[in-house]
Amino acid sequence: MDSDIAIVPMGLGHLREVLDLGDEVFDTEVKPYTSWSLTSVAEHLDTSDRSCWVALDSDRVVGFVLGSMEFELREDWGYLEWIAVAPDMQGHGIAGRLVEICCATLFERGARRIVTDVEVGNTPSATMMTRHGFSDAATVTLFVRPNPDEAERPAEEVAPGLSVATKRTFARTGRLRP
Ligand SMILES: CC(C)(COP(=O)(O)OP(=O)(O)OC[C@H]1O[C@@H](n2cnc3c(N)ncnc32)[C@H](O)[C@@H]1OP(=O)(O)O)[C@@H](O)C(=O)NCCC(=O)NCCS
């Protein structure tokens, strides 16, 4: 464990660095129903029952966790939605500390369960969550059937992406992580 690293509540002043760190480490291609953006961070900050923390090395944000009591239809379940540690700071127990403080806060707020989702190939995250009290509860496989008529078209033409407004609406209703 790296005792020089302070874990503090995330504030507005950390937003830029959190966003940049997420851009650096999250591979949203593997979970196409999710995406990482300013909205996903800002909406957490805008939520009163959030549990959002950053790990600081002096003034530098080297890790963060974004959690809240907003797990779709279950009011008594918390949701640990995003966690990341800067590549050069991984392997020092920082994520473990972030998970512990995030979960402790959500349990204090009345969470009966805390949910997180991990892509099947993300061994570091799966191992880390298992070490910190999470167990595999359900596996969902995203099945995809391509339109055969679109096989010859360039990928960007086939998947132009959602408009900002649509993304925002989906994010609010829980169908898309912004
Ligand atoms: C997953 C991640 C947050 C772990 O951060 P970290 O600070 O390196 O994790 P910790 O040092 O706290 O490790 C905690 C445990 O996780 C496991 N772990 C961490 N990195 C691992 C790796 N590369 N391979 C296997 N297990 C790993 C270990 O069991 C470790 O416990 P131990 O040291 O007692 O054995 C980090 O790898 C990361 O930011 N990944 C990219 C973003 C991401 O995938 N986030 C999760 C999806 S939202």
Side-chain angles (χ1 to χ4, degrees):
M1 178 151 84
D2 204 326
S3 55
D4 290 343
I5 305 297
I7 309 286
V8 302
M10 182 187 164
L12 260 182
H14 303 122
L15 206 147
R16 174 82 261 169
E17 281 183 274
V18 166
L19 195 57
D20 288 347
L21 177 52
D23 281 338
E24 185 183 350
V25 300
F26 292 138
D27 180 3
T28 46
E29 294 292 305
V30 295
K31 289 198 286 179
Y33 57 95
T34 69
S35 62
W36 172 250
S37 73
L38 175 61
T39 314
S40 56
V41 188
E43 286 195 333
H44 271 87
L45 281 179
D46 222 8
T47 304
S48 59
D49 58 9
R50 67 183 171 273
S51 179
C52 299
W53 303 84
V54 291
L56 294 179
D57 181 17
S58 300
D59 282 344
R60 176 189 168 214
V61 171
V62 294
F64 64 83
V65 61
L66 305 184
S68 70
M69 288 298 293
E70 314 245 322
F71 183 67
E72 297 194 4
L73 303 176
R74 295 291 309 234
E75 283 186 6
D76 55 349
W77 286 22
Y79 190 17
L80 192 165
E81 195 168 357
W82 299 99
I83 183 163
V85 170
D88 63 313
M89 298 299 282
Q90 291 177 5
H92 297 286
I94 296 174
R97 291 173 64 196
L98 289 165
V99 167
E100 288 303 324
I101 197 163
C102 177
C103 291
T105 307
L106 293 174
F107 285 136
E108 272 168 28
R109 299 244 163 90
R112 294 182 55 240
R113 301 271 190 284
I114 298 170
V115 179
T116 192
D117 50 349
V118 177
E119 191 269 322
V120 71
N122 192 344
T123 306
S125 186
T127 312
M128 193 263 297
M129 292 302 179
T130 307
R131 284 277 162 95
H132 289 272
F134 287 82
S135 54
D136 187 345
T139 303
V140 176
T141 304
L142 189 69
F143 286 87
V144 178
R145 178 175 172 175
N147 182 335
D149 295 339
E150 294 187 339
E152 302 304 317
R153 286 167 54 197
E156 58 277 13
E157 214 181 286
V158 175
L162 301 172
S163 72
V164 172
T166 307
K167 273 189 179 171
R168 201 171 292 134
T169 306
F170 278 12
R172 292 237 162 75
T173 54
R175 281 175 287 161
L176 174 81
R177 282 198 241 137

